[in-house]
Amino acid sequence: MKSARITKPHGPLEVQQLEIPKPMGPQVLVKVNSSGVCHSDIHLWDGGYEGLDGQILKTTDRGVEYPLTPGHEIAGTIESLGDQAEGFSKNEKVIVYPWIGEGLCPACRSGEENLCDKPRSLGVYLDGGYSEYVLVPSYKYLVKIDDDLDMDAAATLSCSALTAYGAVKNANLKPNDNVVIVGTGGLGLMAIQLASAVTGARIIALDIDDDKLKTAKDSGANDTINSKKEDPVKAIMELTNNVGADAVIDFVNASKTVEIDMQFLRRRARVVLVGLFGGELKLGLVSMPTRAYRIIGSYTGTINDLVELVSLAKRGVIKPLISNRFKLDQTTQALTMLKEGKIVGRGVINP
């Protein structure tokens, strides 16, 4: 099989010929139709994340090993099954839940494998979907999809939509709450759709790109702000009658964006941090208890959340925006375009 692999950080991905894995026990081999291109893939490609004082947190220090086949948003058809795999059959269409845990920690035991102490996520620690085939460790990480659900759109449910869904849930939005969504790429647009469909909150979208903000408006945002062209704090305070936002969901999560977030909050506000751009934040500690802010880290979602998302997509409540499609030999181009902000919505690899 052909797989596009990161052989070393910053280097172009190499399309290599690998032996097709044979599933054993509960394992399932999935023929990949679509694999989403995610910002997390860029961090794997870069070899790290920005930490405190500009220090780079290396992916290898987290247990990532190269060469690696990235790609954790995977939709495809079942090619073959191990002798202990149950409930599925060859050629069925499935989405792969990639946030696999080791199964024994408190998070895994409570159904939150995405927060496992020793994760084994596909496309991060195990080879993923930038490939013609992917070996899934167990059939329990598969979710069936109907023929009428587009495979490219379905793939993005397992990270882009799942991460957005988890973040919206963590924001604990109520009808008429003012929520600011920072960053209107693929995740932000999905969060806007979800918040609009299931919460009744008033959505304010914040970005620096007018085209993305127009798409955000079309996706359900009530108001949009270009923070390059106007003071975002002043604009948000005006939109909220000088009270401030009830919640902010930051899909960038960089030093600059979070510093701004903290300036337009009302008392009791929730700050949900999702993006992985990183950096550091200086906080006035007295304001944390006196204004009762809550800062919440949000990382993907559970497999039950994914099942709920498939239902929402099937009913047309959410519609993932697929804007770019690439082949395996275009994976370096795909990551470069995403890194440069040239993909509006979501890009997918079609092996």
Side-chain angles (χ1 to χ4, degrees), residues 73-332:
E73 294 186 339
I74 306 165
T77 56
I78 292 177
E79 180 69 17
S80 57
L81 304 98
D83 58 7
Q84 296 174 21
E86 302 174 354
F88 294 89
S89 57
K90 183 177 172 62
N91 296 326
E92 279 190 311
K93 291 185 177 181
V94 293
I95 301 173
V96 178
Y97 179 79
W99 311 111
I100 297 167
E102 44 82 52
L104 299 175
C105 76
C108 289
R109 292 200 300 269
S110 66
E112 295 180 300
E113 288 196 47
N114 56 305
L115 302 179
C116 176
D117 291 332
K118 298 178 180 179
R120 301 184 298 136
S121 307
L122 288 170
V124 182
Y125 301 102
L126 304 176
D127 283 338
Y130 286 19
S131 178
E132 292 180 317
Y133 296 93
V134 62
L135 183 65
V136 182
S138 173
Y139 63 93
K140 72 176 184 176
Y141 300 115
L142 301 176
V143 178
K144 294 180 185 180
I145 57 175
D146 294 337
D147 289 339
D148 55 356
L149 185 59
D150 177 74
M151 294 280 267
D152 289 343
T156 68
L157 296 179
S158 61
C159 179
S160 175
L162 187 63
T163 299
Y165 196 35
V168 170
K169 283 188 170 184
N170 279 322
N172 193 26
L173 299 173
K174 302 174 182 63
N176 301 316
D177 273 358
N178 289 297
V179 57
V180 179
I181 293 182
V182 180
T184 55
L187 273 74
L189 292 174
M190 181 54 63
I192 289 169
Q193 287 189 38
L194 286 162
S196 177
V198 304
T199 71
R202 178 190 183 189
I203 302 164
I204 303 168
L206 185 64
D207 205 296
I208 59 174
D209 187 305
D210 282 335
D211 289 338
K212 290 183 179 180
L213 288 170
K214 181 181 182 303
T215 305
K217 188 78 171 180
D218 294 339
S219 297
N222 300 94
D223 299 281
T224 61
I225 298 169
N226 186 322
S227 57
K228 261 191 174 181
K229 298 181 177 180
E230 56 182 319
D231 181 342
V233 176
K234 181 181 178 182
I236 289 167
M237 294 305 291
E238 288 177 354
L239 287 171
T240 59
N241 295 319
N242 290 316
V243 173
D246 297 280
V248 55
I249 305 174
D250 195 326
F251 288 102
V252 181
N253 191 25
S255 297
K256 283 187 177 180
T257 62
V258 184
E259 285 172 5
I260 293 171
D261 297 344
M262 301 304 294
Q263 297 177 53
F264 56 68
L265 304 175
R266 73 179 303 170
R267 296 187 78 174
R268 308 174 305 283
R270 289 84 65 196
V271 182
V272 182
L273 303 180
V274 187
L276 298 174
F277 277 82
E280 56 188 355
L281 176 66
K282 186 176 180 179
L283 284 173
L285 294 180
V286 172
S287 66
M288 295 301 296
T290 59
R291 299 188 64 79
Y293 297 144
R294 296 182 183 182
I295 298 180
I296 304 163
S298 186
Y299 186 72
T300 68
T302 68
I303 193 165
N304 287 333
D305 291 332
L306 180 57
V307 172
E308 292 174 12
L309 282 170
V310 170
S311 177
L312 289 171
K314 182 179 177 179
R315 289 181 281 143
V317 176
I318 55 171
K319 297 177 181 179
L321 174 63
I322 306 302
S323 54
N324 302 79
R325 293 172 173 82
F326 305 92
K327 298 297 184 184
L328 279 180
D329 60 1
Q330 297 175 308
T331 48
T332 303

